[in-house]
Amino acid sequence: MTGLLVVTAVPAEADAVRAGVADPTVTVAPVGVGPAVAGAATARLLALAEAAGRPYRAVVSAGVAGGFTDHVAVGGTVLGTASIAADLGAESPEGFIPIDDLGMPPALLGTGSTVTADPELLAALRATLPTATVGPVLTVTTVTGTAASTEALRRRHPEAVAEAMEGYGVAVAAAQAGLPFAELRTISNPVGPRDRDAWRLREALAALTEAAPALR
């Protein structure tokens, strides 16, 4: 068995993680943006490692994210207690209906629209990152960019601390492989009306490098 697989969306995030963890047992790979491509690429990496007789022992989805500012500040670090497919479902006159309530489970192994982080892996990360904000991380296919959509997410997921675009896909790939999963994010911008000039991507990548030693 090999070590930990850490997947990010883009190369800049992978570089930030590698800058903070010099450990040959940790593999860091950028797998693309969005839950579909991230999930498919992660599943392929896991399958290839297993076929080679060197399966990974756990999977972490890592990178930058938008944060719900009533829970976490820009530049902060988040550990996900669960990865939730927040926009997987159907619209209705009464509001959004999650996929779980439509009688159409989106994945095997009973994952539904929520994959809970592995308790032992999460506890280990929390012990190394005691100041990190802990809570659910939403996975979206469209980044939230208006006050109305932000408020709708807050109503449906009041405990959510951040939103990103890959965690749920990666979590499902890990679940299908029977591996522990966790999500680590650093905050580059508030969730809300889109203002790219206000994003603090450099600071979030620096925070990701600072958090990366927890992955050893």
Side-chain angles (χ1 to χ4, degrees):
M1 181 173 288
T2 55
L4 180 69
L5 175 62
V6 180
V7 296
T8 69
V10 298
E13 294 167 321
D15 290 342
V17 173
R18 293 188 189 107
V21 54
D23 186 335
T25 70
V26 178
T27 298
V28 184
V31 293
V33 176
V37 67
T42 301
R44 182 174 185 273
L45 290 172
L46 295 177
L48 288 173
E50 185 174 356
R54 299 189 299 274
Y56 290 102
R57 59 181 173 83
V59 182
V60 172
S61 177
V64 303
F68 290 97
T69 52
D70 53 340
H71 291 299
V72 60
V74 171
T77 298
V78 162
L79 292 171
T81 55
S83 298
I84 301 172
D87 55 8
L88 186 61
E91 291 184 332
S92 79
E94 291 74 34
F96 181 80
I97 305 174
I99 195 73
D100 308 68
D101 297 338
L102 293 173
M104 297 185 295
L108 301 177
L109 304 179
T111 51
S113 63
T114 299
V115 180
T116 302
D118 179 77
E120 292 185 10
L121 181 55
L122 179 60
L125 291 171
R126 292 186 69 175
T128 311
L129 297 168
T131 63
T133 299
V134 181
V137 177
L138 307 182
T139 298
V140 295
T141 53
T142 300
V143 173
T144 303
T146 68
S149 55
T150 302
E151 181 57 29
L153 277 183
R154 286 180 184 275
R155 287 196 303 269
R156 299 204 305 268
H157 304 284
E159 301 303 317
V161 296
E163 75 163 24
M165 300 183 75
E166 296 78 33
Y168 175 77
V170 177
V172 170
Q176 299 256 342
L179 293 177
F181 166 82
E183 187 166 1
L184 166 65
R185 297 283 175 177
T186 54
I187 305 304
S188 61
N189 58 281
V191 176
R194 185 174 174 81
D195 180 7
R196 189 62 187 267
D197 292 337
W199 287 18
R200 297 292 178 263
L201 186 57
R202 182 177 299 177
E203 290 88 339
L205 290 172
L208 191 58
T209 298
E210 291 180 8
L215 300 169
R216 288 179 296 186

